[in-house]
Amino acid sequence: MTDKLEPGQNQNLPATRPQDEAAPVERFTAAPSVLQVDLPPERAAQIVRQSSNARWVSFLAVVIVVLFVALYWFYELGGPLGLTQSRLEAEADAQQVTRVERGYNIFQANCARCHGANGEGGVGPVLNSQEKLYQHLNADYLNTVLVAGGRYVCGNPLSQMPVWSNTATPPGPLNYTQIEDVIEFIRAENTQTFTIRDPELFEPMKDPITGEVKTFTGWVDPTYEPAPGSTPYPACYLDALSGPTPSASPGASGSPGASGSPAPSDGTGSPAPSGPTGTVTLNITAPPGAASSGFAETALTGPADVTFNILFTNDDTGVVHNVAINDASGLQQFMGEIFPGVATREYVVPPLVAGSYMYVCSVHPSMTGTLTIQ
């Protein structure tokens, strides 16, 4: 049944809502004693103690956090006035030690056969010279030599120094990390002592007799400085070997030692003798592969107190050699011109006093022979 609208009533208006009736009972029915806010003294004291404890706990927590942040700050960046080392510096030092020790193994496995176990030279040039390590053998130079090979050093395309980088063409056996490790080893300072480790397990190696851990020291002397006015080590080590050297001290007979200057050319392609030639000529030959096998002659006899000649034949194609003469104490008495094979040079050796001498190739110190002057 439809409700009828009153006159003037709009059907779209919302329906009227009846008035709410009052609640039949009070909202809070608890007794007045329960609704009171007054606390007994015991309860009030307990709340105060709990609040005080909470404040102390919060204070201690803040102190601990502040101390932790301060300690971690010093741990990361180092203590004030350099009292402690920062974590990053300590980690960098540890990584540098690891790289030097890895580089030692790589050097011994690949480089020592030519440059010597301690960089003293052999088939290849000396590496542990402070003069060379001061500026010449810097990290960039060493990296370029290992990547480009020995042709970078003296422009010799037939250099025996191979390319070591595995990114070269043709590729070598070492990746960039191994090359960096070798450079770290060569540039290590002699104030540090490092541990020799097993190449496979990288565990410290011990002497089988003493049981002590084997160690080694770096080559670079951080306190070394060249003499005032000295010239930098030349880019090509052959220039240093063939350049003028001071005359040796006079012998017992008063005759001066020979100069190390190379003999001048006479226009025929061979250097002319540096002085009056002697009547005795000694023949010395560097055969193919002489850097490993040595001179063909290992024992010669020459005259005392007179000038004599050395006819040196370098049959080692593309490899530089020479003949130098040292006395029993190792003092150089003569050094002939360094030149690549195949070629021949005649050296004029000034008078030497009677005694035992050693002749050696300045480029390859493993090439030696005995010279008896009598």
Side-chain angles (χ1 to χ4, degrees):
M1 180 174 182
T2 305
D3 295 335
K4 295 184 180 180
L5 298 175
E6 296 294 332
Q9 185 178 5
N10 190 347
Q11 188 176 6
N12 295 328
L13 294 175
T16 59
R17 181 178 181 179
Q19 295 292 330
D20 293 334
E21 296 181 359
V25 295
E26 294 182 2
R27 184 180 296 270
F28 300 102
T29 59
S33 60
V34 177
L35 299 178
Q36 67 182 3
V37 297
D38 295 334
L39 297 174
E42 296 79 2
R43 176 57 180 164
Q46 183 181 15
I47 292 175
V48 171
R49 287 194 299 271
Q50 291 175 345
S51 176
S52 176
N53 293 339
R55 288 194 296 271
W56 271 108
V57 170
S58 300
F59 175 75
L60 291 177
V62 171
V63 170
I64 291 173
V65 170
V66 170
L67 290 176
F68 173 79
V69 171
L71 292 175
Y72 189 78
W73 174 275
F74 293 137
Y75 169 70
E76 284 288 333
L77 301 180
L81 303 177
L83 295 178
T84 60
Q85 189 180 30
S86 71
R87 182 184 66 84
L88 294 179
E89 291 177 350
E91 182 61 25
D93 290 345
Q95 291 182 5
Q96 190 265 347
V97 170
T98 300
R99 300 185 72 173
V100 170
E101 293 173 349
R102 287 201 308 252
Y104 171 86
N105 289 334
I106 297 172
F107 183 91
Q108 297 303 321
N110 299 277
C111 312
R113 57 186 174 183
C114 291
H115 295 283
N118 295 312
E120 69 275 15
V123 176
V126 174
L127 297 180
N128 62 5
S129 166
Q130 295 303 322
E131 181 184 13
K132 299 177 71 173
L133 291 169
Y134 180 71
Q135 286 182 338
H136 177 66
L137 296 181
N138 57 68
D140 291 338
Y141 178 85
L142 291 171
N143 182 76
T144 304
V145 172
L146 292 171
V147 171
R151 65 178 182 270
Y152 172 78
V153 178
C154 294
N156 178 16
L158 300 177
S159 172
Q160 295 185 80
M161 174 69 173
V163 173
W164 291 96
S165 173
N166 63 356
T167 61
T169 304
L174 302 182
N175 58 38
Y176 76 95
T177 301
Q178 293 170 316
I179 289 177
E180 291 176 355
D181 291 343
V182 171
I183 295 174
E184 287 288 344
F185 164 70
I186 296 175
R187 296 296 310 168
E189 297 183 354
N190 59 11
T191 56
Q192 290 182 275
T193 300
F194 304 92
T195 301
I196 298 177
R197 299 181 179 273
D198 182 88
E200 298 294 335
L201 303 177
F202 210 61
E203 293 293 332
M205 297 182 66
K206 296 184 178 180
D207 188 292
I209 299 177
T210 63
E212 296 181 354
V213 175
K214 297 181 179 180
T215 60
F216 67 93
T217 57
W219 297 342
V220 177
D221 181 1
T223 64
Y224 171 82
E225 290 186 2
S230 60
T231 57
Y233 196 87
C236 177
Y237 71 98
L238 298 177
D239 294 338
L241 295 174
S242 60
T245 58
S247 298
S249 58
S253 64
S255 59
S259 170
S261 303
S265 174
D266 61 1
T268 62
S270 297
S274 58
T277 59
T279 58
V280 176
T281 298
L282 305 181
N283 293 295
I284 300 178
T285 303
S292 301
S293 62
F295 293 115
E297 301 80 14
T298 57
L300 296 172
T301 301
D305 301 324
V306 296
T307 300
F308 63 94
N309 307 326
I310 292 179
L311 184 63
F312 177 53
T313 302
N314 183 359
D315 287 336
D316 203 357
T317 305
V319 182
V320 293
H321 296 294
N322 79 324
V323 175
I325 300 175
N326 302 332
D327 61 17
S329 66
L331 182 64
Q332 187 177 92
Q333 301 295 319
F334 171 81
M335 186 175 80
E337 178 191 2
I338 299 173
F339 60 95
V342 174
T344 300
R345 296 289 189 272
E346 184 177 16
Y347 302 140
V348 177
V349 182
L352 299 175
V353 298
S356 179
Y357 297 80
M358 180 179 70
Y359 59 91
V360 62
C361 173
S362 301
V363 185
H364 308 98
S366 61
M367 299 173 57
T368 61
T370 303
L371 173 62
T372 302
I373 300 298
Q374 60 185 20

